[in-house]
Amino acid sequence: MIFLRALEPEDLDLLYEVENDERAWSVSASRTHFSRFSLRQYLAGQPADAFQAGELRLVIADGKEAVGLIDLTNFSPMDGRAEVCILICPAHRGKGYARAALGLLENYARQFLRIRMLYALISARHNPVSLRLFASAQYEQVATLPAWHNRGGEYEDVVLIQKFLDSPQRAGERT
């Protein structure tokens, strides 16, 4: 049974592996290696409050084993929205962990953080697995951002997808 949990000092090896995996850099804002020392400092300084930090990083765990990470970034309490980022470790991909973790995160975001909408930015060409994942969770594609992301010196389009968690009244709609 999978669950989400806060980062622990014991997650240093997981973070070291994930943050230094150059294959993941093509879909992230990071383009640098991290030392164990800097990651140890990051773990020690993790804010407990997503409202203050503007982000939340959780470990996706199956029993005692960490299988990936799921993040809320660009959290705007005023607007009730946050960006979702998911990374499943290569040895654990294709086992349904991302879909299950996304469902758990949605429930947590709705109930405890009062988030009304989650969104993600996904490469239109290079990340079809993520597009299928979010589509299976009823996220809607709402825009394509042309030449948004630099991937190896080439600018690529990014798809903006979103899901309303509380069926809000959208601008222009009346009840």
Side-chain angles (χ1 to χ4, degrees), residues 84-112:
V84 179
C85 304
I86 302 173
L87 185 137
I88 302 298
C89 296
H92 299 288
R93 291 181 184 159
K95 299 177 182 177
Y97 289 124
R99 179 66 183 94
L102 185 57
L104 292 172
L105 184 72
E106 289 172 0
N107 289 335
Y108 180 80
R110 180 186 314 107
Q111 290 179 349
F112 298 106

PDB file of all heavy atoms in Angstrom, residues 84-112:
ATOM      1  N   VAL A  84       1.957  20.583  -9.924  1.00  0.00           N
ATOM      2  CA  VAL A  84       2.297  19.222  -9.508  1.00  0.00           C
ATOM      3  C   VAL A  84       3.485  18.731 -10.329  1.00  0.00           C
ATOM      4  O   VAL A  84       3.512  18.891 -11.547  1.00  0.00           O
ATOM      5  CB  VAL A  84       1.122  18.247  -9.750  1.00  0.00           C
ATOM      6  CG1 VAL A  84       1.502  16.836  -9.340  1.00  0.00           C
ATOM      7  CG2 VAL A  84      -0.108  18.698  -9.016  1.00  0.00           C
ATOM      8  N   CYS A  85       4.447  18.110  -9.650  1.00  0.00           N
ATOM      9  CA  CYS A  85       5.582  17.463 -10.304  1.00  0.00           C
ATOM     10  C   CYS A  85       5.721  16.071  -9.686  1.00  0.00           C
ATOM     11  O   CYS A  85       5.662  15.934  -8.471  1.00  0.00           O
ATOM     12  CB  CYS A  85       6.862  18.254 -10.080  1.00  0.00           C
ATOM     13  SG  CYS A  85       6.761  19.974 -10.605  1.00  0.00           S
ATOM     14  N   ILE A  86       5.905  15.068 -10.525  1.00  0.00           N
ATOM     15  CA  ILE A  86       6.032  13.690 -10.047  1.00  0.00           C
ATOM     16  C   ILE A  86       7.273  13.067 -10.661  1.00  0.00           C
ATOM     17  O   ILE A  86       7.523  13.223 -11.858  1.00  0.00           O
ATOM     18  CB  ILE A  86       4.806  12.841 -10.459  1.00  0.00           C
ATOM     19  CG1 ILE A  86       3.517  13.438  -9.932  1.00  0.00           C
ATOM     20  CG2 ILE A  86       4.962  11.396  -9.967  1.00  0.00           C
ATOM     21  CD1 ILE A  86       2.271  12.738 -10.443  1.00  0.00           C
ATOM     22  N   LEU A  87       8.016  12.343  -9.840  1.00  0.00           N
ATOM     23  CA  LEU A  87       9.143  11.568 -10.336  1.00  0.00           C
ATOM     24  C   LEU A  87       9.097  10.194  -9.674  1.00  0.00           C
ATOM     25  O   LEU A  87       9.122  10.099  -8.448  1.00  0.00           O
ATOM     26  CB  LEU A  87      10.470  12.246 -10.026  1.00  0.00           C
ATOM     27  CG  LEU A  87      11.650  11.501 -10.644  1.00  0.00           C
ATOM     28  CD1 LEU A  87      12.624  12.456 -11.262  1.00  0.00           C
ATOM     29  CD2 LEU A  87      12.317  10.595  -9.645  1.00  0.00           C
ATOM     30  N   ILE A  88       9.014   9.180 -10.489  1.00  0.00           N
ATOM     31  CA  ILE A  88       9.089   7.802  -9.996  1.00  0.00           C
ATOM     32  C   ILE A  88      10.469   7.274 -10.368  1.00  0.00           C
ATOM     33  O   ILE A  88      10.926   7.437 -11.506  1.00  0.00           O
ATOM     34  CB  ILE A  88       7.983   6.920 -10.625  1.00  0.00           C
ATOM     35  CG1 ILE A  88       6.586   7.486 -10.341  1.00  0.00           C
ATOM     36  CG2 ILE A  88       8.101   5.476 -10.138  1.00  0.00           C
ATOM     37  CD1 ILE A  88       6.204   7.556  -8.884  1.00  0.00           C
ATOM     38  N   CYS A  89      11.147   6.655  -9.416  1.00  0.00           N
ATOM     39  CA  CYS A  89      12.473   6.096  -9.669  1.00  0.00           C
ATOM     40  C   CYS A  89      12.370   5.054 -10.787  1.00  0.00           C
ATOM     41  O   CYS A  89      11.390   4.308 -10.858  1.00  0.00           O
ATOM     42  CB  CYS A  89      13.027   5.458  -8.404  1.00  0.00           C
ATOM     43  SG  CYS A  89      13.286   6.658  -7.071  1.00  0.00           S
ATOM     44  N   PRO A  90      13.365   5.009 -11.672  1.00  0.00           N
ATOM     45  CA  PRO A  90      13.287   4.127 -12.838  1.00  0.00           C
ATOM     46  C   PRO A  90      12.905   2.675 -12.530  1.00  0.00           C
ATOM     47  O   PRO A  90      12.120   2.079 -13.264  1.00  0.00           O
ATOM     48  CB  PRO A  90      14.695   4.214 -13.434  1.00  0.00           C
ATOM     49  CG  PRO A  90      15.162   5.584 -13.060  1.00  0.00           C
ATOM     50  CD  PRO A  90      14.594   5.821 -11.681  1.00  0.00           C
ATOM     51  N   ALA A  91      13.404   2.102 -11.461  1.00  0.00           N
ATOM     52  CA  ALA A  91      13.107   0.704 -11.140  1.00  0.00           C
ATOM     53  C   ALA A  91      11.643   0.472 -10.758  1.00  0.00           C
ATOM     54  O   ALA A  91      11.178  -0.661 -10.728  1.00  0.00           O
ATOM     55  CB  ALA A  91      14.003   0.228  -9.996  1.00  0.00           C
ATOM     56  N   HIS A  92      10.906   1.551 -10.500  1.00  0.00           N
ATOM     57  CA  HIS A  92       9.529   1.421 -10.022  1.00  0.00           C
ATOM     58  C   HIS A  92       8.494   1.959 -11.008  1.00  0.00           C
ATOM     59  O   HIS A  92       7.309   2.017 -10.685  1.00  0.00           O
ATOM     60  CB  HIS A  92       9.385   2.127  -8.680  1.00  0.00           C
ATOM     61  CG  HIS A  92      10.276   1.556  -7.626  1.00  0.00           C
ATOM     62  ND1 HIS A  92      10.057   0.333  -7.043  1.00  0.00           N
ATOM     63  CD2 HIS A  92      11.414   2.040  -7.076  1.00  0.00           C
ATOM     64  CE1 HIS A  92      11.005   0.092  -6.165  1.00  0.00           C
ATOM     65  NE2 HIS A  92      11.850   1.100  -6.172  1.00  0.00           N
ATOM     66  N   ARG A  93       8.927   2.340 -12.189  1.00  0.00           N
ATOM     67  CA  ARG A  93       7.997   2.897 -13.170  1.00  0.00           C
ATOM     68  C   ARG A  93       7.108   1.806 -13.754  1.00  0.00           C
ATOM     69  O   ARG A  93       7.474   0.648 -13.825  1.00  0.00           O
ATOM     70  CB  ARG A  93       8.768   3.607 -14.277  1.00  0.00           C
ATOM     71  CG  ARG A  93       9.431   4.863 -13.738  1.00  0.00           C
ATOM     72  CD  ARG A  93      10.192   5.625 -14.780  1.00  0.00           C
ATOM     73  NE  ARG A  93      10.854   6.765 -14.118  1.00  0.00           N
ATOM     74  CZ  ARG A  93      11.884   7.407 -14.597  1.00  0.00           C
ATOM     75  NH1 ARG A  93      12.387   7.062 -15.765  1.00  0.00           N
ATOM     76  NH2 ARG A  93      12.403   8.412 -13.927  1.00  0.00           N
ATOM     77  N   GLY A  94       5.917   2.234 -14.191  1.00  0.00           N
ATOM     78  CA  GLY A  94       4.979   1.314 -14.829  1.00  0.00           C
ATOM     79  C   GLY A  94       4.221   0.421 -13.867  1.00  0.00           C
ATOM     80  O   GLY A  94       3.593  -0.549 -14.277  1.00  0.00           O
ATOM     81  N   LYS A  95       4.241   0.743 -12.585  1.00  0.00           N
ATOM     82  CA  LYS A  95       3.582  -0.091 -11.577  1.00  0.00           C
ATOM     83  C   LYS A  95       2.374   0.599 -10.947  1.00  0.00           C
ATOM     84  O   LYS A  95       1.822   0.102  -9.966  1.00  0.00           O
ATOM     85  CB  LYS A  95       4.585  -0.477 -10.488  1.00  0.00           C
ATOM     86  CG  LYS A  95       5.753  -1.290 -11.018  1.00  0.00           C
ATOM     87  CD  LYS A  95       6.753  -1.600  -9.929  1.00  0.00           C
ATOM     88  CE  LYS A  95       7.937  -2.375 -10.500  1.00  0.00           C
ATOM     89  NZ  LYS A  95       8.965  -2.626  -9.478  1.00  0.00           N
ATOM     90  N   GLY A  96       1.994   1.764 -11.468  1.00  0.00           N
ATOM     91  CA  GLY A  96       0.824   2.467 -10.949  1.00  0.00           C
ATOM     92  C   GLY A  96       1.097   3.401  -9.791  1.00  0.00           C
ATOM     93  O   GLY A  96       0.172   3.980  -9.223  1.00  0.00           O
ATOM     94  N   TYR A  97       2.353   3.557  -9.412  1.00  0.00           N
ATOM     95  CA  TYR A  97       2.676   4.414  -8.272  1.00  0.00           C
ATOM     96  C   TYR A  97       2.324   5.881  -8.528  1.00  0.00           C
ATOM     97  O   TYR A  97       1.810   6.565  -7.645  1.00  0.00           O
ATOM     98  CB  TYR A  97       4.161   4.310  -7.914  1.00  0.00           C
ATOM     99  CG  TYR A  97       4.560   3.009  -7.286  1.00  0.00           C
ATOM    100  CD1 TYR A  97       5.566   2.230  -7.839  1.00  0.00           C
ATOM    101  CD2 TYR A  97       3.950   2.563  -6.119  1.00  0.00           C
ATOM    102  CE1 TYR A  97       5.946   1.036  -7.250  1.00  0.00           C
ATOM    103  CE2 TYR A  97       4.320   1.368  -5.532  1.00  0.00           C
ATOM    104  CZ  TYR A  97       5.326   0.602  -6.102  1.00  0.00           C
ATOM    105  OH  TYR A  97       5.698  -0.580  -5.515  1.00  0.00           O
ATOM    106  N   ALA A  98       2.600   6.376  -9.720  1.00  0.00           N
ATOM    107  CA  ALA A  98       2.349   7.788 -10.010  1.00  0.00           C
ATOM    108  C   ALA A  98       0.861   8.097  -9.925  1.00  0.00           C
ATOM    109  O   ALA A  98       0.461   9.110  -9.330  1.00  0.00           O
ATOM    110  CB  ALA A  98       2.903   8.161 -11.383  1.00  0.00           C
ATOM    111  N   ARG A  99       0.031   7.251 -10.495  1.00  0.00           N
ATOM    112  CA  ARG A  99      -1.425   7.486 -10.470  1.00  0.00           C
ATOM    113  C   ARG A  99      -1.958   7.448  -9.048  1.00  0.00           C
ATOM    114  O   ARG A  99      -2.753   8.292  -8.643  1.00  0.00           O
ATOM    115  CB  ARG A  99      -2.129   6.445 -11.352  1.00  0.00           C
ATOM    116  CG  ARG A  99      -3.632   6.590 -11.382  1.00  0.00           C
ATOM    117  CD  ARG A  99      -4.034   7.903 -12.069  1.00  0.00           C
ATOM    118  NE  ARG A  99      -5.453   8.093 -12.039  1.00  0.00           N
ATOM    119  CZ  ARG A  99      -6.111   8.788 -11.103  1.00  0.00           C
ATOM    120  NH1 ARG A  99      -5.463   9.353 -10.111  1.00  0.00           N
ATOM    121  NH2 ARG A  99      -7.406   8.924 -11.176  1.00  0.00           N
ATOM    122  N   ALA A 100      -1.520   6.477  -8.264  1.00  0.00           N
ATOM    123  CA  ALA A 100      -1.969   6.368  -6.873  1.00  0.00           C
ATOM    124  C   ALA A 100      -1.500   7.568  -6.053  1.00  0.00           C
ATOM    125  O   ALA A 100      -2.267   8.137  -5.277  1.00  0.00           O
ATOM    126  CB  ALA A 100      -1.465   5.066  -6.259  1.00  0.00           C
ATOM    127  N   ALA A 101      -0.248   7.977  -6.244  1.00  0.00           N
ATOM    128  CA  ALA A 101       0.294   9.122  -5.508  1.00  0.00           C
ATOM    129  C   ALA A 101      -0.434  10.409  -5.883  1.00  0.00           C
ATOM    130  O   ALA A 101      -0.710  11.256  -5.024  1.00  0.00           O
ATOM    131  CB  ALA A 101       1.791   9.259  -5.770  1.00  0.00           C
ATOM    132  N   LEU A 102      -0.754  10.555  -7.161  1.00  0.00           N
ATOM    133  CA  LEU A 102      -1.478  11.739  -7.599  1.00  0.00           C
ATOM    134  C   LEU A 102      -2.838  11.822  -6.921  1.00  0.00           C
ATOM    135  O   LEU A 102      -3.249  12.889  -6.459  1.00  0.00           O
ATOM    136  CB  LEU A 102      -1.620  11.731  -9.125  1.00  0.00           C
ATOM    137  CG  LEU A 102      -2.257  12.953  -9.764  1.00  0.00           C
ATOM    138  CD1 LEU A 102      -1.504  14.234  -9.415  1.00  0.00           C
ATOM    139  CD2 LEU A 102      -2.309  12.779 -11.281  1.00  0.00           C
ATOM    140  N   GLY A 103      -3.538  10.707  -6.816  1.00  0.00           N
ATOM    141  CA  GLY A 103      -4.821  10.691  -6.116  1.00  0.00           C
ATOM    142  C   GLY A 103      -4.686  11.066  -4.647  1.00  0.00           C
ATOM    143  O   GLY A 103      -5.490  11.843  -4.115  1.00  0.00           O
ATOM    144  N   LEU A 104      -3.660  10.539  -3.992  1.00  0.00           N
ATOM    145  CA  LEU A 104      -3.417  10.881  -2.584  1.00  0.00           C
ATOM    146  C   LEU A 104      -3.087  12.364  -2.430  1.00  0.00           C
ATOM    147  O   LEU A 104      -3.567  13.027  -1.499  1.00  0.00           O
ATOM    148  CB  LEU A 104      -2.277  10.028  -2.018  1.00  0.00           C
ATOM    149  CG  LEU A 104      -2.558   8.546  -1.863  1.00  0.00           C
ATOM    150  CD1 LEU A 104      -1.273   7.796  -1.485  1.00  0.00           C
ATOM    151  CD2 LEU A 104      -3.654   8.302  -0.825  1.00  0.00           C
ATOM    152  N   LEU A 105      -2.272  12.888  -3.343  1.00  0.00           N
ATOM    153  CA  LEU A 105      -1.902  14.296  -3.281  1.00  0.00           C
ATOM    154  C   LEU A 105      -3.118  15.195  -3.501  1.00  0.00           C
ATOM    155  O   LEU A 105      -3.283  16.211  -2.818  1.00  0.00           O
ATOM    156  CB  LEU A 105      -0.816  14.617  -4.306  1.00  0.00           C
ATOM    157  CG  LEU A 105      -0.304  16.058  -4.246  1.00  0.00           C
ATOM    158  CD1 LEU A 105       0.553  16.264  -3.003  1.00  0.00           C
ATOM    159  CD2 LEU A 105       0.469  16.395  -5.490  1.00  0.00           C
ATOM    160  N   GLU A 106      -3.965  14.824  -4.453  1.00  0.00           N
ATOM    161  CA  GLU A 106      -5.177  15.614  -4.702  1.00  0.00           C
ATOM    162  C   GLU A 106      -6.041  15.694  -3.445  1.00  0.00           C
ATOM    163  O   GLU A 106      -6.525  16.769  -3.087  1.00  0.00           O
ATOM    164  CB  GLU A 106      -5.978  15.015  -5.853  1.00  0.00           C
ATOM    165  CG  GLU A 106      -5.336  15.202  -7.198  1.00  0.00           C
ATOM    166  CD  GLU A 106      -6.036  14.430  -8.300  1.00  0.00           C
ATOM    167  OE1 GLU A 106      -7.041  13.720  -8.017  1.00  0.00           O
ATOM    168  OE2 GLU A 106      -5.576  14.517  -9.456  1.00  0.00           O
ATOM    169  N   ASN A 107      -6.237  14.565  -2.777  1.00  0.00           N
ATOM    170  CA  ASN A 107      -7.039  14.559  -1.547  1.00  0.00           C
ATOM    171  C   ASN A 107      -6.419  15.432  -0.475  1.00  0.00           C
ATOM    172  O   ASN A 107      -7.107  16.205   0.194  1.00  0.00           O
ATOM    173  CB  ASN A 107      -7.229  13.133  -1.026  1.00  0.00           C
ATOM    174  CG  ASN A 107      -8.149  12.319  -1.906  1.00  0.00           C
ATOM    175  OD1 ASN A 107      -9.001  12.857  -2.611  1.00  0.00           O
ATOM    176  ND2 ASN A 107      -7.966  11.012  -1.886  1.00  0.00           N
ATOM    177  N   TYR A 108      -5.116  15.308  -0.285  1.00  0.00           N
ATOM    178  CA  TYR A 108      -4.417  16.116   0.711  1.00  0.00           C
ATOM    179  C   TYR A 108      -4.511  17.604   0.381  1.00  0.00           C
ATOM    180  O   TYR A 108      -4.796  18.427   1.250  1.00  0.00           O
ATOM    181  CB  TYR A 108      -2.942  15.681   0.791  1.00  0.00           C
ATOM    182  CG  TYR A 108      -2.151  16.463   1.798  1.00  0.00           C
ATOM    183  CD1 TYR A 108      -2.224  16.162   3.149  1.00  0.00           C
ATOM    184  CD2 TYR A 108      -1.335  17.518   1.393  1.00  0.00           C
ATOM    185  CE1 TYR A 108      -1.506  16.891   4.090  1.00  0.00           C
ATOM    186  CE2 TYR A 108      -0.613  18.249   2.318  1.00  0.00           C
ATOM    187  CZ  TYR A 108      -0.702  17.935   3.663  1.00  0.00           C
ATOM    188  OH  TYR A 108       0.000  18.668   4.585  1.00  0.00           O
ATOM    189  N   ALA A 109      -4.280  17.934  -0.881  1.00  0.00           N
ATOM    190  CA  ALA A 109      -4.321  19.342  -1.313  1.00  0.00           C
ATOM    191  C   ALA A 109      -5.703  19.938  -1.077  1.00  0.00           C
ATOM    192  O   ALA A 109      -5.830  21.074  -0.615  1.00  0.00           O
ATOM    193  CB  ALA A 109      -3.926  19.445  -2.789  1.00  0.00           C
ATOM    194  N   ARG A 110      -6.736  19.189  -1.384  1.00  0.00           N
ATOM    195  CA  ARG A 110      -8.116  19.669  -1.218  1.00  0.00           C
ATOM    196  C   ARG A 110      -8.464  19.819   0.263  1.00  0.00           C
ATOM    197  O   ARG A 110      -8.939  20.857   0.694  1.00  0.00           O
ATOM    198  CB  ARG A 110      -9.088  18.704  -1.888  1.00  0.00           C
ATOM    199  CG  ARG A 110     -10.548  19.109  -1.785  1.00  0.00           C
ATOM    200  CD  ARG A 110     -11.534  18.066  -2.330  1.00  0.00           C
ATOM    201  NE  ARG A 110     -11.177  17.515  -3.620  1.00  0.00           N
ATOM    202  CZ  ARG A 110     -10.706  16.266  -3.811  1.00  0.00           C
ATOM    203  NH1 ARG A 110     -10.530  15.437  -2.795  1.00  0.00           N
ATOM    204  NH2 ARG A 110     -10.411  15.836  -5.013  1.00  0.00           N
ATOM    205  N   GLN A 111      -8.223  18.778   1.040  1.00  0.00           N
ATOM    206  CA  GLN A 111      -8.670  18.760   2.436  1.00  0.00           C
ATOM    207  C   GLN A 111      -7.868  19.646   3.366  1.00  0.00           C
ATOM    208  O   GLN A 111      -8.436  20.318   4.221  1.00  0.00           O
ATOM    209  CB  GLN A 111      -8.629  17.332   2.968  1.00  0.00           C
ATOM    210  CG  GLN A 111      -9.667  16.434   2.365  1.00  0.00           C
ATOM    211  CD  GLN A 111      -9.574  15.015   2.913  1.00  0.00           C
ATOM    212  OE1 GLN A 111      -8.610  14.647   3.588  1.00  0.00           O
ATOM    213  NE2 GLN A 111     -10.577  14.216   2.620  1.00  0.00           N
ATOM    214  N   PHE A 112      -6.542  19.644   3.206  1.00  0.00           N
ATOM    215  CA  PHE A 112      -5.716  20.305   4.206  1.00  0.00           C
ATOM    216  C   PHE A 112      -5.101  21.621   3.747  1.00  0.00           C
ATOM    217  O   PHE A 112      -4.821  22.490   4.571  1.00  0.00           O
ATOM    218  CB  PHE A 112      -4.618  19.353   4.687  1.00  0.00           C
ATOM    219  CG  PHE A 112      -5.178  18.132   5.341  1.00  0.00           C
ATOM    220  CD1 PHE A 112      -5.151  16.904   4.695  1.00  0.00           C
ATOM    221  CD2 PHE A 112      -5.771  18.195   6.586  1.00  0.00           C
ATOM    222  CE1 PHE A 112      -5.688  15.772   5.279  1.00  0.00           C
ATOM    223  CE2 PHE A 112      -6.318  17.069   7.193  1.00  0.00           C
ATOM    224  CZ  PHE A 112      -6.276  15.855   6.532  1.00  0.00           C
TER     225      PHE A 112
END
